[in-house]
């Protein structure tokens, strides 16, 4: 079955530690996205990538980093510079039509908490 | 003005009634709109896409788009307790020149048995 796989489902970060969230898709989608969702809040875009080896900052990129070395994979690193990392992290992907008419499909998310 | 705006709710609707969820957007050039349902603790799932003015029906769901008024709505007929969730409206805003979607903050819907 095609889909988006995020791992781990739950993650705990110690003070000063970098942690990496995995996102893999087998939908053959060109575009991938990372969002952060805080309790009772909407989705805030962290980073997005429309093509391999290229990515752009979203609205809240500070304290995060990404790479896009393969079409299927878009890992997100939450660095120690992100002082308030506790949130629900969602990865999404979409086809790249050039007209913005493609919906995004989401993985099941990773919950990150501070120890 | 927020780029995509929704009433946060909560919106309470009796079981069997019609639930009406509303969304406005700021970019007059936007062409693509999406409704997502998000159950508590879960990720959003796509339920409707709409691109043209008018109504689009899919089972108990009807999406309505009025580009002149910059307004999108989602109607849920014969509401069921399983429809209780947060509904997110998303739009492709043309001023970004890419595939990004802009999401509203969501409306929390509760269906009362």
């Amino acid at each position: 079955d095609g889909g988006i796989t995020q791992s781990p489902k739950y993650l705990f970060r110690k003070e000063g530690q970098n942690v990496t969230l995995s996102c893999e898709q087998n939908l053959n989608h060109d575009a991938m996205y990372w969002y952060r969702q805080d309790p009772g809040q909407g989705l805030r875009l962290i980073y997005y990538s429309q093509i391999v080896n290229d990515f752009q900052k979203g609205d809240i990129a500070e304290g995060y980093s990404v790479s896009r070395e393969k079409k299927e994979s878009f890992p997100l690193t939450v660095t120690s510079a992100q002082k308030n990392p506790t949130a629900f992290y969602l990865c999404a992907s979409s086809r790249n039509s050039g007209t913005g008419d493609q919906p995004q499909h989401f993985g099941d998310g990773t919950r990150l908490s501070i120890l | 003005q927020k780029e995509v705006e929704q009433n946060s709710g909560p919106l309470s609707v009796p079981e069997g009634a019609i639930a009406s969820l509303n969304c406005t957007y700021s970019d007059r050039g936007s062409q693509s709109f999406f409704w997502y349902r998000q159950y508590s603790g879960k990720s959003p799932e796509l339920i409707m896409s709409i691109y043209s003015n008018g109504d689009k029906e899919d089972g108990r769901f009807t999406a309505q788009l009025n580009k002149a008024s910059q307004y999108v709505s989602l109607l849920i007929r014969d509401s069921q307790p399983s429809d209780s969730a947060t509904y997110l409206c998303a739009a492709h805003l043309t001023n970004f020149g890419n595939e990004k979607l802009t999401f509203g903050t969501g409306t929390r819907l509760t269906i009362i048995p």
Side-chain angles (χ1 to χ4, degrees):
Chain A
D1 283 337
I4 301 170
T5 302
Q6 289 189 242
S7 62
K9 193 167 183 174
Y10 299 95
L11 187 58
F12 298 92
R13 195 192 87 170
K14 294 180 181 177
E15 194 82 30
Q17 185 183 40
N18 293 352
V19 292
T20 297
L21 284 60
S22 170
C23 179
E24 303 276 332
Q25 54 98 359
N26 60 4
L27 299 169
N28 200 32
H29 286 170
D30 287 302
M32 297 186 74
Y33 313 81
W34 274 106
Y35 293 92
R36 170 181 172 140
Q37 187 174 39
D38 293 280
Q41 303 294 315
L43 304 178
R44 292 189 289 169
L45 183 64
I46 304 172
Y47 268 98
Y48 64 101
S49 169
Q50 293 189 246
I51 197 168
V52 175
N53 292 322
D54 188 39
F55 50 83
Q56 288 80 38
K57 293 181 179 180
D59 302 318
I60 55 164
E62 187 173 348
Y64 300 97
S65 66
V66 294
S67 63
R68 186 86 189 276
E69 297 175 2
K70 298 188 301 181
K71 186 175 184 178
E72 303 79 21
S73 180
F74 191 40
L76 173 74
T77 297
V78 183
T79 75
S80 56
Q82 173 49 248
K83 297 306 179 189
N84 184 21
T86 297
F88 188 38
Y89 290 86
L90 289 159
C91 178
S93 71
S94 70
R95 290 171 57 192
N96 212 358
S97 68
T99 60
D101 63 349
Q102 298 299 308
Q104 292 178 14
H105 301 274
F106 288 85
D108 289 338
T110 293
R111 290 198 180 277
L112 176 61
S113 302
I114 296 181
L115 275 178
Chain B
Q1 181 191 3
K2 291 182 185 176
E3 292 166 328
V4 177
E5 197 153 2
Q6 299 179 252
N7 287 329
S8 61
L11 175 65
S12 296
V13 172
E15 184 175 355
I18 296 175
S20 178
L21 304 161
N22 304 317
C23 173
T24 58
Y25 58 95
S26 61
D27 179 11
R28 186 170 289 279
S30 294
Q31 301 290 327
S32 306
F33 305 89
F34 308 92
W35 282 100
Y36 289 82
R37 178 177 61 201
Q38 186 176 23
Y39 291 116
S40 180
K42 302 295 185 183
S43 62
E45 58 179 317
L46 178 71
I47 52 174
M48 292 285 283
S49 306
I50 187 164
Y51 307 100
S52 304
N53 273 331
D55 294 0
K56 179 181 178 183
E57 190 173 315
D58 183 0
R60 295 187 296 110
F61 297 98
T62 299
Q64 299 176 318
L65 175 59
N66 184 326
K67 291 184 180 179
S69 301
Q70 295 174 235
Y71 179 94
V72 188
S73 64
L74 179 70
L75 302 179
I76 307 174
R77 290 184 300 282
D78 187 24
S79 297
Q80 303 296 309
S82 60
D83 295 325
S84 297
T86 296
Y87 289 81
L88 302 171
C89 171
H92 176 250
L93 302 183
T94 58
N95 48 321
F96 291 122
N98 52 43
E99 303 291 322
K100 283 196 327 177
L101 294 182
T102 300
F103 287 82
T105 53
T107 298
R108 187 156 57 94
L109 174 66
T110 300
I111 305 302
I112 304 167

